[in-house]
Amino acid sequence: MYGEGKAQLVSISSYAGARKDYVQGGGGNTSVKFDDKLMAIKASGYTLGEITPDKGYVTVNYQKILDYYNTVDASADKDFEKESLEVSLGSVELLPGMENKRPSVEVGFHAFLKKCVIHTHAVYANILCCSEEGREIAKNAIKNANIGFVFIPYIDPGFRLTLEVKNAVDKYKAEHGIAPDLIFLENHGVIAHGNSDEEAIAVHEIANNCIKDYLRLDAFPTPRTKGSADGFASDTAYLKDFLARYNADEAYFNALKIYPDQLVYLGGKMGSDIRIQNGEILYTTGEKEAQTIEETLQGVVYVIDMIAKVGLKLRQMDDKGADFINNWESEKYRSQQIK
């Protein structure tokens, strides 16, 4: 049942999950609409590379999600994050044999987009999303690619982001007659979608390649870890070189507020689970968590380094946005899944 949709979900998930420059650790999410009711979406806690035709995702009745967001009064005085989470969990309709897992925390905006959706934290797109000049560069970088896009200012993930994506897509449709192919999320990531897996992959691939070529970016080094006396350690030369060039210590990383995944996977761990000593980065964690931290660190330092190299100004989240991520139950849940 739903063999074609499952194959499409594996296709877009494997495409993004195989690239550490596109997703790091458990970041990113994908979805495919099976019909006019059921949508398959990555389960929280899984990596994109772990999705198979029978594992790593849940199915939801996305009409329930659409109904909620199309009728909700966002001006009311209530806890919308809690309410929208209850709607998401209540929309789960498991297929036979499917694991009872949470849908991705970003299931809301997936419901409003085309059949196949790829949301990543691609480092190339995030160079634009995490720089003050990103919106203007996006116009120039992909202007000849026949890709329509919107650029959404930073907003808290979850309920508010879903409404903002819906409003931005609706406005673009009103102006152009069609939905934008690509959605840049400031200090967050990028969304590509299409009516097939091939179309969604092409949009994501073309956009990121256009950015790489336009800015003449360095290649993204593969994040690697190795065993150490207390657990694991970084084995990525580029990451160690960054420490030396930027004089980056634990305090340096603790002060960063680049994007949500950096706060989720690195926040509060410097000096405890993560230690920087004599130019080495040490992880007193399990292997999966150590690799997730390594990939996240690598993504963060690459974005910072390339922004500086091409002469742009780094844009960080404000304290309010960072506090939301640090205290959001859904992100605490996601962080625990890598242990």
Side-chain angles (χ1 to χ4, degrees):
M1 184 182 295
Y2 302 118
E4 180 183 7
K6 292 178 181 180
Q8 290 177 319
L9 182 67
V10 172
S11 172
I12 58 179
S13 302
S14 299
Y15 153 75
R19 298 278 298 267
K20 300 308 179 187
D21 50 349
Y22 287 168
V23 293
Q24 301 81 44
N29 38 72
T30 51
S31 70
V32 172
K33 294 175 179 66
F34 287 167
D35 51 29
D36 60 0
K37 174 185 175 183
L38 282 186
M39 176 176 72
I41 186 164
K42 191 192 87 162
S44 187
Y46 274 92
T47 67
L48 289 177
E50 292 173 329
I51 292 178
T52 71
D54 303 308
K55 188 184 76 171
Y57 66 94
V58 294
T59 45
V60 300
N61 182 338
Y62 68 95
Q63 292 298 336
K64 291 183 178 179
I65 298 172
L66 293 177
D67 289 344
Y68 170 70
Y69 282 99
N70 282 328
T71 58
V72 68
D73 178 7
S75 66
D77 183 16
K78 61 172 65 176
D79 185 346
F80 286 109
E81 295 306 330
K82 180 181 179 181
E83 182 177 85
S84 60
L85 174 61
E86 291 172 351
V87 170
S88 296
L89 296 177
S91 72
V92 172
E93 294 188 11
L94 299 177
L95 296 177
M98 182 174 288
E99 297 175 289
N100 188 10
K101 296 285 187 177
R102 279 195 191 192
S104 166
V105 297
E106 291 169 323
V107 63
F109 68 67
H110 282 259
F112 285 95
L113 300 177
K114 295 179 183 178
K115 180 178 182 180
C116 297
V117 182
I118 305 172
H119 168 44
T120 73
H121 307 139
V123 294
Y124 315 112
N126 265 347
I127 288 168
L128 305 192
C129 296
C130 299
S131 63
E132 297 289 354
E133 305 88 345
R135 185 189 298 265
E136 290 304 313
I137 291 175
K139 293 178 183 178
N140 295 323
I142 63 176
K143 65 181 179 182
N144 296 321
N146 195 31
I147 292 175
F149 74 89
V150 293
F151 201 103
I152 296 179
Y154 184 79
I155 193 166
D156 294 334
F159 175 80
R160 297 293 176 187
L161 178 58
T162 293
L163 285 182
E164 197 60 33
V165 169
K166 177 185 181 299
N167 292 338
V169 170
D170 287 347
K171 181 179 179 182
Y172 188 95
K173 284 181 179 179
E175 294 175 356
H176 301 274
I178 56 173
D181 305 292
L182 195 72
I183 302 167
F184 288 103
L185 306 176
E186 193 172 64
N187 286 103
H188 188 152
V190 66
I191 306 167
H193 63 142
N195 293 317
S196 68
D197 52 334
E198 294 94 343
E199 184 179 328
I201 288 171
V203 169
H204 187 274
E205 191 71 8
I206 291 169
N208 279 284
N209 284 336
C210 284
I211 295 167
K212 281 195 292 184
D213 293 343
Y214 183 80
L215 295 177
R216 299 180 181 179
L217 299 173
D218 295 346
F220 182 78
T222 302
R224 293 187 174 91
T225 60
K226 60 184 178 181
S228 70
D230 297 324
F232 296 88
S234 174
D235 194 28
T236 310
Y238 177 88
L239 191 47
K240 296 177 185 178
D241 176 65
F242 179 92
L243 298 183
R245 288 188 289 112
Y246 283 75
N247 194 27
D249 55 12
E250 294 168 2
Y252 173 88
F253 287 105
N254 276 331
L256 291 175
K257 301 184 290 290
I258 305 297
Y259 45 74
D261 267 16
Q262 173 241 322
L263 296 172
V264 170
Y265 293 125
L266 306 182
K269 297 178 181 178
M270 286 290 173
S272 55
D273 292 346
I274 310 169
R275 291 176 290 118
I276 299 176
Q277 297 178 354
N278 302 319
E280 296 289 330
I281 307 174
L282 307 174
Y283 309 128
T284 54
T285 68
E287 184 174 8
K288 182 177 181 179
E289 186 172 5
Q291 183 62 31
T292 293
I293 293 171
E294 178 80 0
E295 293 172 12
T296 304
L297 269 174
Q298 177 69 22
V300 168
V301 303
Y302 180 87
V303 167
I304 292 172
D305 201 23
M306 290 301 104
I307 284 176
K309 181 177 180 179
V310 301
L312 305 179
K313 183 179 179 181
L314 180 68
R315 184 193 188 281
Q316 300 201 51
M317 300 163 61
D318 61 23
D319 290 340
K320 183 179 179 181
D323 287 343
F324 175 86
I325 297 297
N326 290 332
N327 293 289
W328 191 20
E329 186 275 339
S330 293
E331 292 291 36
K332 290 179 179 179
Y333 174 86
R334 189 160 67 101
S335 178
Q336 289 298 316
Q337 301 309 299
I338 66 169
K339 293 187 181 296

